Amino acid sequence: MDTPVVRNSTAAWKRADGDHHIHPFTDNEALRRKGGPRIIVKASGSVMVDSEGNRIIDAMSGLWCVNVGYGREELARAAYDQMSELAFYNTFFKTTTPPPVELAEKLATLTPGDLNRFFFACSGSEANDTILRFVKRYWNLMGKPAKKTVISRINAYHGSTTASASLGGMSTMHEMDDLPIAGIEHVIQPYWYTGGGDLSEEEFGLVAARAVEDKILELGPENVAAFFGEPLQGSGGAILPPSNYWPEINRICRKYDILLVADEVICGFGRTGEWFGSTTFGIEPDIMTMAKGITSGYLPLSAVAVSDRVADVLYAKGGDLSHGYTYSGHPTACAVALANIAIIEREGLVERVRDDIGPYFQTRLRDAVADHPLVGNIRGIGLVAGLAIVEDKATRTFRTPVGTLAGRCHEICVEMGAMIRVSGDSMVMAPPLVITKEEVDTLMVIYRAALDKTAAEFGLV
Ligand code: PXG
């Protein structure tokens, strides 16, 4: 007979995890062989605790989402109150509940430009799938049905559904099951450190933007529907574009009448020191994707913000919108989003990131690691930062297979009590907007020590 599973035990959880739980973006067999995952059991503020009692500063905000930090009773109460009143009703077929209406009205006051109408879903992936459908619908209604191809970037991340993974430019995702789907074209990313060679950042910014223009001309502007981009590439390694990249993209999209979609899933709700990365980088989007920080991850929710230019056409000429998810505008998730936004406003978290903790974090990071022999390039803004880990700074040489050094450094960081993220040859941090200066200091001590240990282990000092 099987041994009964003992609950509340790390060993039992790990055994059950290995037997039954498929993890995303994980070599599940390797994880199982190595003894299973770290199990996070509670958290408060920016610090989480695992099932063995280790305290870890969460320098990744869960997965780029817990902007207001952990343990907010106010958010639990908002969910409790809404669930008690009305846990669920749908927004299809001429009905709604109050929270999505109030949330849409609130978001219209926060988003830039004329992004005034909002469609809700549960994840960033679903939101991007929705946008793909809206964009095609828009051009059909405009009488330009040939305008269907979408341009995006290599090493972009837009989600994991078939369409959103195709929009993204992650080669490992494409290799998995023969993506991208038809009608999506990828151009170079604006990553100066690896792509810029001898060019200045500004020179390379123009080259990267002109790659979009070249692609449009190659395809014919009459065939191009939209350009998709993250204001800064999060998953791809916290890659900030040169400052002239987005203004040039605005110009190109306007010139050829192409919809500009800003995927704000990571940048939205304060990460860059503005409510949206579009403001930080001077992007003028026609459509915006938001998720993660909209509820600080307390419940799954995403939104598509649609400009009047696009929404007016969809409304006036579109008739029935044949699209929607059961949980579009879920009242409990929307109630939590409203309470979350109220916290961000009341505590001035966006301003805190812009004026106080963001600059502090960026300065302390550079003080701590800029001179390190493994650190080839540091970039960041607000509370997001990435480092390129190199074997040889002078030649920008990465260790092959790419990520070996960064991967080991990541393991050491976590062992020392800092949860960071590694992406290829980059190490990334994006802590909660409430992180304290003391926690930032501790993070930097750990970061430096982990880099030193990595360099020593690889014989690079
Ligand atoms: N767009 C962007 C810019 C994202 O970062 C999505 C869309 C998809 O959202 P959902 O909710 O469907 O996951 C994301 C998600 C990482 C990591 O570690 C980042 C994401 C997801 C998983 C891992 O970098 N971002």
Side-chain angles (χ1 to χ4, degrees), residues 24-25 60 62-64 122-128 156-161 164 170 229-237 263-267 289 291-292 300-302 421-423 428:
F25 285 96
M60 279 313 298
L63 205 46
W64 312 85
C122 300
S123 67
S125 304
E126 287 175 344
N128 281 328
Y157 190 78
H158 295 296
S160 265
T161 55
S164 61
M170 298 286 174
E230 304 153 79
L232 66 83
Q233 287 157 258
S235 293
D263 184 339
E264 293 269 3
V265 167
I266 275 175
C267 292
T289 324
K292 296 194 188 261
L301 182 71
S302 63
R421 167 96 170 81
V422 63
S423 169
V428 176

Side-chain angles (χ1 to χ4, degrees), residues 360-382:
Y360 183 82
F361 172 78
Q362 298 294 340
T363 305
R364 293 286 294 112
L365 173 64
R366 282 159 183 78
D367 291 349
V369 304
D371 67 339
H372 197 278
L374 293 187
V375 176
N377 171 250
I378 306 182
R379 62 257 167 183
I381 189 161

